Amino acid sequence: MNVWDDLVKHIQAGDTGGTVAFVTGLGARERRVVAGELPGYLAARARQTGGWWEWHDELSPLLMAGTACLSGAAAVAGWLFRREFRWRTVHRRETEYVLDLLRARPEAWQADVARRMAGRLRLPDLRHWPVVAALVRDLGLEPPGDDVFMAGWLLTIHEHNVDEVAADPLFPHLAPRIFTTGALRQTLTFFRVGALGLLTDRGALDRAAVIDGALGRLLGDGPSALPELVRLHERLDPDLDETAARAVDYVRLLPAAPLVAAEAALERLRRLEAAGRLSPGLFGEAVEALAFRPEKKLLRATVSWIGEAVARAPEHTDTGLCALAALLTQDALAVQERAVRLAARLAGQAGETGREAIRDAAAGLPAELREKISAAYGRVAAEAPPEPPALVAAAVPAPPPPIASPGELAGEIASVRWDIRPERFERILAGLVEQAHREPDALRAELRSWWHPFEPAAFGYREYADGYDRSHMLLCRTALAFASPQDSRTLSALIAGSPRRSGREEPPAPGRVYRRRAHELIACFEAGETYPVLLATPTSGTGHVDPEALLERLRRLEEAGARALPADLCQALLRLPRSTGPEVARAAETISEAGRRVAAWLDGGGLPDPVVTCEVVTYRTRWATHWACVPQAAMSPPLPGLPEPVADLCTRDPARETGLSHDLAWWPAVMPSHREVVAAHLLQELPVFMEENGADQAGALIRLAHGDGPVGTATAHALVCGMGHRDPAERACAVEALLTLAARDQAPAAELAEAVTELVRTGVVKLNRVTEALGDAARAGAHAAVWTVIAGALPGLLPGPGERPRAGLADLLAAGAGAG
């Protein structure tokens, strides 16, 4: 009998159960035969097929065969974690098969393999966690102390199985670590909150320990604390005694905790104070902490609490007035008005400490509010406005240094991830081109361990048609085209023949520029050729290419007898500064045919500035069913005869641009001398992401501001979209962009005023967010630009006859007064 041939029949039939039965009946010698064949067979199948889906049914049988026939614990653990198996579908029955095969080995061997498997577990792939956990339970081993194992256990906790969880042998070891493990951030969901609540209700978890654990984690994590911890705390609903025992913790939450945690802490403290169980010292500490919070909702609640507390206990008067004094310094007119009304009401019972605090703080109030304080507390002189800070444009970041060796390049390529930034993309692409031309053999040797064995799925051939057009995948595909042209040609053929390719969505035009450049290099490498140097690699953090550097690169191409790649040359032309002198054109036309194209481009004045217009239209997002108003831009067609990639950038085709992009930070460097065109493209995307935290899209505005060329209505609309973002970090990027433009005397203030009016009136952005951003810009020194913006926007935002004032209008007026 040929044991291997018989086993392969089960494997290729996808018969997992039959494979298990077959290998279980093998003797030691036969298992050694199978163990010797398995690695080569697995590698060959990965290499010979177009992708894992072509042999998906074989993966589970192969996993069982290796588990049963490989001898050492290290070999079995390594086999179970082979990357080829990550594509298989895991069912509970498969886990049972693996456990049955492992349990057939000696206990010491099982313990060894359990420890080795536990060391290989990584988030988010925990498919082998049930196997490790079962062995730990069976053998009575100490559970691993790392966060990954803890994450696997936490993910097994659900409301429907809390009794089973409580009876789990792992429970006594792991339950005390729930609120200290780093895995809590990845595992604590709404449903798990309910399960932890049930475990507490039934006594499996100590109630006091859970409340303390949740509060301790909220305090430890600070501004990044999980809101689910607040939900768990509210689910347990501590009574007055439990709250009083933790009053200090609730007060400590107030200064920096997320809004939802601060609100919960405030509510608990208000109940304590109303019951007379909050000490004056803690009351004072609490209201003082709240008075410096940025959220208006908390500030209003603080004013209300002070009024109620003083009415119940007049001895709180001076403490409350000191907190009201801090509230008077808040840059929120509505809050100031509430605080002034309450302070005036409490003037008759104020002590000297409270009166002095109110008078000192009132000096910076608007005249009308200051007069009310003067009437109640004695004359308050207006303080002289502080000198505005000097407005200085932020420095343009320098480009990264070039890659110096094949080894350095191979390390960079191996570490490429989906979140690669544009400057790193350009650095690696330039290094790949130069090292491939200069030291091809050394570079191929360095790259071999990165791509071998070749697996199409690892290089962007996915079930979804747009996966291979992501920037990091383009870079990896380009490196593969040089390292293994034959495998790259196979991949290109698979992609071209993909049944879903024709239906994929086109990325926006700026993204297509990067794609064209990568694809022409892929074609070059697949043809067995190299390219001496990229013309378009930026020499500045703005994305510009220095004219002298471009001339030197053209000379290197000519000396190597290479023709300029079309997309590379077009991108280099778009990255030239607007002020390139005629001497560059004269030098370029003597070098080569590509040089003569550069000269013709420069002699023609470069790219004419397209006329950009904006309008607010109804737009439906790709993933949602609701409708939203977003700005869209239309660019008039440029002069005829421009290269196709350039015309593509300057003439929008909405029917073609159906995809959304998460790579907006890449776009300003495509056309660093034509900011208004880039802004028009940004407007297609920015509004869609305005309600997403962590979208990291408004950073493109900073790069845009550092560029060159006209700024107008599109730039203004893009800035206002950034200022209207939900995420404060994104709004800060828009403010930095405005400051950079203002410091260079380029802020489009009149267009910004029109954009604020239009986008607020149509509901695209919220006025309070824009007001906050404008206030930040004024305080940073852009007071003149901000005054022009607010003065221009106010007439269109004021209420008409019979209309109620728009929410946030008072704060906009206050910001304008402060800027003026």
Side-chain angles (χ1 to χ4, degrees):
M1 151 180 153
N2 188 325
V3 64
W4 174 248
D5 289 344
D6 290 344
L7 177 59
V8 166
K9 293 176 184 176
H10 290 288
I11 291 172
Q12 293 183 346
D15 182 4
T16 303
T19 299
V20 171
F22 183 85
V23 296
T24 301
L26 296 178
R29 186 185 64 81
E30 293 166 325
R31 291 191 181 198
R32 285 196 295 273
V33 171
V34 171
E37 296 285 350
L38 280 171
Y41 179 84
L42 183 62
R45 292 297 283 159
R47 191 166 52 249
Q48 293 165 1
T49 56
W52 57 268
W53 50 90
E54 295 183 11
W55 57 300
H56 177 266
D57 292 342
E58 299 181 29
L59 294 175
S60 185
L62 279 167
L63 187 82
M64 304 304 157
T67 304
C69 296
L70 295 171
S71 59
V76 171
W79 180 259
L80 288 169
F81 283 87
R82 291 270 303 223
R83 69 174 187 171
E84 292 90 347
F85 294 133
R86 69 182 183 272
W87 304 112
R88 77 191 191 285
T89 303
V90 182
H91 301 288
R92 174 174 292 186
R93 185 60 181 142
E94 178 184 286
T95 299
E96 293 170 354
Y97 280 141
V98 171
L99 282 169
D100 288 343
L101 293 171
L102 294 177
R103 285 165 175 160
R105 309 286 188 106
E107 285 193 0
W109 186 96
Q110 292 181 49
D112 190 9
V113 83
R115 284 189 286 269
R116 293 176 184 275
M117 290 179 68
R120 286 175 172 262
L121 290 173
R122 298 289 185 272
L123 290 171
D125 185 4
L126 294 172
R127 65 183 66 198
H128 285 307
W129 184 90
V131 174
V132 178
L135 292 176
V136 169
R137 294 186 188 100
D138 290 351
L139 303 170
L141 302 176
E142 182 72 21
D146 58 276
D147 288 342
V148 179
F149 189 83
M150 188 71 183
W153 181 72
L154 286 171
L155 290 172
T156 66
I157 300 176
H158 303 284
E159 291 187 38
H160 62 78
N161 71 343
V162 291
D163 291 333
E164 180 183 338
V165 169
D168 186 352
L170 298 176
F171 187 85
H173 299 276
L174 302 183
R177 294 166 42 200
I178 289 176
F179 296 103
T180 59
T181 178
L184 196 66
R185 187 165 296 279
Q186 291 83 24
T187 56
L188 189 60
T189 63
F190 174 82
F191 299 104
R192 206 142 287 118
V193 165
L196 293 176
L198 283 175
L199 286 167
T200 305
D201 294 343
R202 297 179 185 184
L205 290 174
D206 180 72
R207 177 179 172 86
V210 173
I211 296 173
D212 289 338
L215 286 175
R217 187 62 182 261
L218 285 167
L219 285 166
D221 288 350
S224 62
L226 295 170
E228 287 79 7
L229 288 167
V230 181
R231 295 192 184 99
L232 177 60
H233 175 274
E234 296 303 288
R235 161 70 171 75
L236 298 177
D237 192 18
D239 60 27
L240 273 178
D241 290 336
E242 291 171 321
T243 301
R246 298 168 178 82
V248 172
D249 288 337
Y250 291 118
V251 173
R252 290 169 60 203
L253 277 174
L254 296 176
L259 175 60
V260 64
E263 286 181 315
L266 172 58
E267 179 60 27
R268 298 288 158 181
L269 292 169
R270 291 184 77 162
R271 291 183 190 178
L272 272 184
E273 185 275 323
R277 300 184 63 176
L278 185 66
S279 69
L282 285 180
F283 171 75
E285 190 177 339
V287 292
E288 181 181 358
L290 287 164
F292 290 98
R293 293 283 306 207
E295 301 90 351
K296 296 182 179 63
K297 183 178 182 181
L298 278 179
L299 299 179
R300 291 193 297 268
T302 303
V303 176
S304 298
W305 184 23
I306 292 171
E308 295 168 3
V310 172
R312 282 189 290 264
E315 62 269 22
H316 287 327
T317 300
D318 276 9
T319 300
L321 287 172
C322 289
L324 287 177
L327 287 164
L328 294 180
T329 65
Q330 285 277 2
D331 191 21
L333 184 61
V335 172
Q336 290 175 333
E337 289 173 339
R338 285 175 179 240
V340 165
R341 285 197 298 269
L342 179 57
R345 196 168 76 234
L346 298 178
Q349 61 194 71
E352 188 54 37
T353 301
R355 298 181 70 85
E356 184 178 351
I358 292 294
R359 282 198 301 268
D360 289 345
L365 288 173
E368 181 181 354
L369 297 180
R370 191 173 64 252
E371 289 171 4
K372 291 181 179 180
I373 294 295
S374 296
Y377 288 83
R379 183 176 178 277
V380 177
E383 66 180 11
E387 286 292 323
L391 190 57
V392 180
V396 178
I403 290 175
S405 68
E408 182 185 359
L409 176 62
E412 288 285 338
I413 291 173
S415 63
V416 165
R417 297 292 181 267
W418 65 270
D419 56 350
I420 185 173
R421 306 308 294 164
E423 58 274 7
R424 187 164 176 241
F425 177 94
E426 294 285 3
R427 178 177 186 255
I428 294 176
L429 198 66
L432 175 62
V433 166
E434 296 202 27
Q435 297 293 335
H437 186 73
R438 185 184 306 149
E439 299 185 67
D441 294 337
L443 181 56
R444 283 198 176 94
E446 291 283 357
L447 289 173
R448 180 171 175 78
S449 62
W450 165 71
W451 68 267
H452 184 80
F454 169 63
E455 184 180 342
F459 289 93
Y461 184 35
R462 292 286 194 270
E463 179 182 357
Y464 299 100
D466 65 344
Y468 62 87
D469 276 336
R470 295 292 184 193
S471 303
H472 68 295
M473 282 299 177
L474 283 172
L475 194 57
C476 291
R477 280 202 61 207
T478 308
L480 175 69
F482 165 75
S484 181
Q486 175 57 49
D487 287 322
S488 182
R489 289 192 290 269
T490 299
L491 178 60
S492 295
L494 287 168
I495 290 172
S498 169
R500 299 190 60 178
R501 176 177 164 80
S502 60
R504 84 183 194 283
E505 295 178 332
E506 282 277 9
R512 294 200 291 271
V513 173
Y514 289 99
R515 188 179 69 176
R516 285 189 184 98
R517 293 174 61 209
H519 282 187
E520 67 182 8
L521 283 172
I522 291 168
C524 175
F525 289 146
E526 286 182 354
E529 301 171 358
T530 59
Y531 189 57
V533 61
L534 285 177
L535 301 176
T537 303
T539 58
S540 166
T542 63
H544 283 100
V545 173
D546 180 73
E548 293 298 329
L550 179 58
L551 292 177
E552 176 58 28
R553 293 168 184 175
L554 288 169
R555 293 187 186 100
R556 288 179 61 184
L557 281 185
E558 185 65 13
E559 289 169 2
R563 293 176 61 86
L565 296 176
D568 184 34
L569 178 58
C570 280
Q571 176 65 99
L573 295 176
L574 288 172
R575 284 178 168 169
L576 284 171
R578 295 174 73 90
S579 58
T580 302
E583 66 279 1
V584 176
R586 302 290 71 78
E589 64 185 357
T590 66
I591 297 175
S592 62
E593 176 59 31
R596 287 186 282 278
R597 287 192 60 190
V598 172
W601 173 270
L602 295 175
D603 288 340
L607 175 67
D609 291 315
V611 177
V612 180
T613 59
C614 295
E615 60 179 337
V616 176
V617 300
T618 303
Y619 180 88
R620 194 170 189 175
T621 64
R622 188 171 75 174
W623 55 78
T625 56
H626 66 275
W627 294 81
C629 291
V630 303
Q632 272 191 293
M635 290 168 283
S636 62
L639 297 176
L642 289 173
E644 187 268 337
V646 179
D648 193 22
L649 285 164
C650 297
T651 309
R652 284 200 59 252
D653 182 359
R656 185 179 183 187
E657 295 182 8
T658 55
L660 291 172
S661 174
H662 287 263
D663 296 333
L664 304 193
W666 297 59
W667 295 2
V670 173
M671 304 177 74
S673 293
H674 293 84
R675 290 181 291 194
E676 189 74 347
V677 178
V678 175
H681 286 290
L682 292 176
L683 282 176
Q684 313 312 310
E685 312 284 332
L686 281 173
V688 181
F689 298 105
M690 281 199 301
E691 295 302 316
E692 290 188 16
N693 285 330
D696 193 24
Q697 300 300 323
L701 298 172
I702 299 176
R703 295 171 181 266
L704 182 76
H706 280 301
D708 199 0
V711 289
T713 184
T715 303
H717 278 74
L719 284 171
V720 175
C721 286
M723 289 189 284
H725 201 285
R726 174 183 182 180
D727 190 339
E730 299 276 338
R731 295 200 294 273
C733 290
V735 170
E736 184 177 337
L738 176 57
L739 292 172
T740 298
L741 291 170
R744 297 167 65 178
D745 199 24
Q746 296 174 342
E751 290 86 351
L752 278 167
E754 294 175 4
V756 169
T757 302
E758 181 180 28
L759 298 182
V760 169
R761 287 180 64 88
T762 53
V764 177
V765 299
K766 295 182 178 180
L767 180 57
N768 63 324
R769 297 176 184 173
V770 175
T771 300
E772 180 182 337
L774 290 172
D776 290 342
R779 286 186 290 274
H783 49 88
V786 170
W787 165 251
T788 304
V789 173
I790 295 177
L794 273 174
L797 298 177
L798 292 173
E803 293 180 345
R804 296 183 61 185
R806 189 180 302 277
L809 187 59
D811 290 335
L812 184 66
L813 288 165

